[in-house]
Amino acid sequence: MGPSCSSGGVGSAPSSDQRITVRSAATEEVIGSVPEATEADVDRAVAAARRAFDDPHGWSTWEPEDRAKALRRLADELDQRAEATVHAVSSQNGMPITIARAFETSYPSATLRYFADLVSAQPVEETRPGFFVASTTVRRTPIGVVAGIVPWNVPQSLTMSKLAAGNTIVLKPSPETVLDAFILADAVEAAGIPEGVVSILPGGRELGAYLVSHPGVNKVAFTGSTAGGRAVATACAQLLRPVSLELGGKSAAIILDDADLDLQRIGQNLFNATLAHTGQVCFLGTRILAPRSRYGEVIDVLEALIESTPLGDPLDDTTLLGPLASRAQQQRVADYIDVGIAEGARVVTGGPGRPEGRERGHFVRPTLFADVENSARVAQEEIFGPVLTVIGYHDDAEAAQIASDSQYGLGGTVWSSNPERAMGVARAVETGTIGINGYIPDLGAPFGGVKGSGYGKEWGPEGLAAYQQLKSIYHFE
Ligand code: NAD
């Protein structure tokens, strides 16, 4: 069975008798259960976060260097629990374990160390010469109690960026990924982060909605679907509560006609940018834009990529494509494969049904659709699974226009052997982030979407600023 349950930072276990049962994505067997938090637990956690924030000697008043030391200790504690974490994540949501090692252990601890360095190097106050006054002191302070709502796909990585600026935080992970959230709670305690600074409340969307509107919360950081983000933004608008929204995507991978298509050289990068975590990452470029002059070649390369990528048990080190996170997600992706066929897309590889030999678990067949119009549902809607659609284009300008013709704008890639030409196309696409010949969101730069992909930034100095507030103090002499 799964790890024992405690509630991080609050100091006592959730009060409910209800439990959330967690099943393995690969075998559908029960692998653990945790107590489900109630609204009373949210009240207690927010009160604890409030006390910890308002404490005159508490976390928010610590010197940045002391907070940075605590974040580095937390990074070390997480590193010590790395294998337990990746095992929990892979078992729960089916993320192949080698990918979980990058996303769920290297990223969170690197994020903590990055923000520790940033916070300790940043002056709390800076004084600028004035225009109408003698000078102005600009003071940066944490915002207060942050409610962090995170999805099931990369729970730890998304959690870390919200811990760093001196706020106290109440986190609600997805019910599908609660086991690793308890490992995080354990690491928070071991790192000596004061009680109430981090609380973790396993529960569903109703609990999330209650937390978002809680009177004791000062900011909401929501990562999840665009539909969920809309509901959260509506609640926050009524309360005039700041919110950052990291939402869905349907990004384009633009292959220019001078791109290197040798899978030996580009296969790893192409996989990471289009199919990582079995297609369940918000920034993946799942709309592949292929030049008409090399359309057939692009199809052949993608077909070879999909067919040569090992699919199987997520706990096996050689697996790169696993099951989907839940039965609902499996059904959703299977439905989209039917939609694509009904819309007239050509199935190059994959299609309906399960992969051979995978009778249990939330597996689907990784699917490549060719001859897709950008207006098709499978090109416009976020599928969140291993389904790629290939759309033809004539020139760079048309490629950028098709890439931007989406309700979303989160990630994307440009593939070319000419860096300047690639930059030109990258500049033209309406999106929050884009990679050239590969894609990994980098810690040092702002990450976030435009349009239906949300607003607000994580990572980089801009990501820290999103969790700080500014006060201007005017001096007259
Ligand atoms: P989801 O919106 O269903 O749930 C996300 C989290 O929000 C869960 O914890 C859920 O319980 C909670 N939630 C849902 N509705 C809520 C509401 N009205 N009020 C409060 N809480 C609510 O999303 P999901 O299916 O779990 O995750 C996948 C989605 O997340 C995809 O659309 C993906 O693109 C997106 N995502 C975006 C990013 C990003 O950084 N932009 C990162 C990861 C995932």
Side-chain angles (χ1 to χ4, degrees):
M1 295 297 268
S4 67
C5 302
S6 65
S7 79
V10 195
S12 54
S15 57
S16 149
D17 294 338
Q18 299 285 331
R19 295 185 76 82
I20 297 171
T21 301
V22 182
R23 288 179 182 275
S24 151
T27 66
E28 298 176 56
E29 280 160 13
V30 173
I31 52 169
S33 75
V34 300
E36 182 168 8
T38 62
E39 292 184 357
D41 296 316
V42 174
D43 294 342
R44 288 196 302 151
V46 173
R50 191 77 273 151
R51 273 195 306 278
F53 188 81
D54 293 340
D55 178 348
H57 306 291
W59 176 250
S60 62
T61 68
W62 286 17
E63 288 298 321
E65 188 47 48
D66 293 334
R67 271 208 312 269
K69 281 185 192 144
L71 295 178
R72 291 189 192 103
R73 282 199 303 274
L74 178 55
D76 293 344
E77 292 294 338
L78 284 172
D79 285 348
Q80 283 173 28
R81 291 163 179 77
E83 271 312 296
T85 301
V86 293
H87 195 271
V89 169
S90 294
S91 308
Q92 293 169 120
N93 72 9
M95 183 186 290
I97 197 152
T98 45
I99 296 178
R101 281 198 184 99
F103 274 7
E104 294 303 324
T105 61
S106 313
Y107 260 51
S109 42
T111 308
L112 283 165
R113 293 190 178 103
Y114 170 78
F115 279 113
D117 291 349
L118 204 61
V119 160
S120 53
Q122 187 182 60
V124 174
E125 293 182 351
E126 79 185 78
T127 299
R128 305 173 187 174
F131 283 86
F132 306 124
V133 296
S135 61
T136 301
T137 299
V138 178
R139 181 173 167 74
R140 281 185 192 82
T141 52
I143 294 175
V145 177
V146 175
I149 313 259
V150 291
W152 44 260
N153 63 337
V154 275
Q156 290 261 345
S157 308
L158 293 169
T159 300
M160 287 308 123
S161 56
K162 297 166 176 71
L163 287 181
N167 302 292
T168 57
I169 178 156
V170 180
L171 278 175
K172 193 206 76 62
S174 235
E176 290 90 351
T177 44
V178 286
L179 300 182
D180 62 305
F182 280 82
I183 300 174
L184 171 61
D186 187 45
V188 165
E189 283 188 13
I193 293 190
E195 184 162 315
V197 172
V198 182
S199 296
I200 301 175
L201 300 172
R205 62 183 54 188
E206 292 76 22
L207 194 79
Y210 183 76
L211 172 61
V212 161
S213 294
H214 199 285
V217 166
N218 299 105
K219 169 159 182 166
V220 176
F222 178 85
T223 308
S225 62
T226 297
R230 218 166 251 133
V232 168
T234 304
C236 289
Q238 284 301 322
L239 296 162
L240 295 179
R241 179 165 292 171
V243 56
S244 55
L245 302 171
E246 299 287 348
L247 308 179
K250 185 78 182 183
S251 302
I254 305 175
I255 300 182
L256 298 187
D257 61 12
D258 63 356
D260 178 358
L261 288 180
D262 183 341
L263 269 189
Q264 294 289 341
R265 285 192 292 270
I266 68 158
Q268 180 72 53
N269 280 357
L270 191 58
F271 172 81
N272 288 344
T274 57
L275 285 165
H277 191 4
T278 320
Q280 301 164 107
V281 188
C282 50
F283 54 67
L284 292 178
T286 51
R287 279 186 301 149
I288 313 288
L289 306 195
R292 292 277 173 208
S293 58
R294 296 181 76 188
Y295 193 84
E297 206 186 329
V298 170
I299 300 280
D300 291 347
V301 165
L302 291 169
E303 181 181 12
L305 176 71
I306 290 176
E307 291 185 353
S308 65
T309 302
L311 177 146
D313 178 359
L315 294 174
D316 180 336
D317 269 344
T318 60
T319 294
L320 285 172
L321 288 166
L324 299 177
S326 63
R327 189 172 292 173
Q329 192 59 20
Q330 178 191 25
Q331 190 56 51
R332 175 189 161 91
V333 175
D335 288 348
Y336 269 112
I337 292 173
D338 292 342
V339 166
I341 293 169
E343 285 181 314
R346 173 163 61 93
V347 177
V348 179
T349 183
R354 290 170 165 275
E356 220 179 287
R358 295 282 153 197
E359 299 319 318
R360 301 206 66 184
H362 310 134
F363 287 92
V364 295
R365 294 172 72 196
T367 296
L368 178 63
F369 282 131
D371 307 338
V372 177
E373 293 295 326
N374 192 50
S375 55
R377 283 185 61 197
V378 288
Q380 285 294 325
E381 297 176 16
E382 185 182 46
I383 298 175
F384 226 52
V387 179
L388 302 181
T389 55
V390 188
I391 300 159
Y393 72 86
H394 289 102
D395 57 26
D396 293 9
E398 191 191 12
Q401 180 267 318
I402 296 173
S404 306
D405 182 9
S406 165
Q407 61 175 311
Y408 297 110
L410 184 58
T413 44
V414 184
W415 302 79
S416 169
S417 46
N418 179 338
E420 269 176 45
R421 184 176 169 201
M423 267 302 278
V425 175
R427 286 192 186 102
V429 178
E430 270 180 48
T431 185
T433 65
I434 191 160
I436 293 177
N437 294 327
Y439 187 99
I440 296 179
D442 191 70
L443 272 181
F447 173 83
V450 297
K451 303 192 282 186
S453 296
Y455 44 77
K457 299 291 177 195
E458 303 284 345
W459 304 346
E462 297 81 0
L464 181 62
Y467 294 97
Q468 294 174 321
Q469 59 191 7
L470 299 175
K471 179 190 280 182
S472 295
I473 304 171
Y474 307 123
H475 304 282
F476 283 82
E477 50 188 57

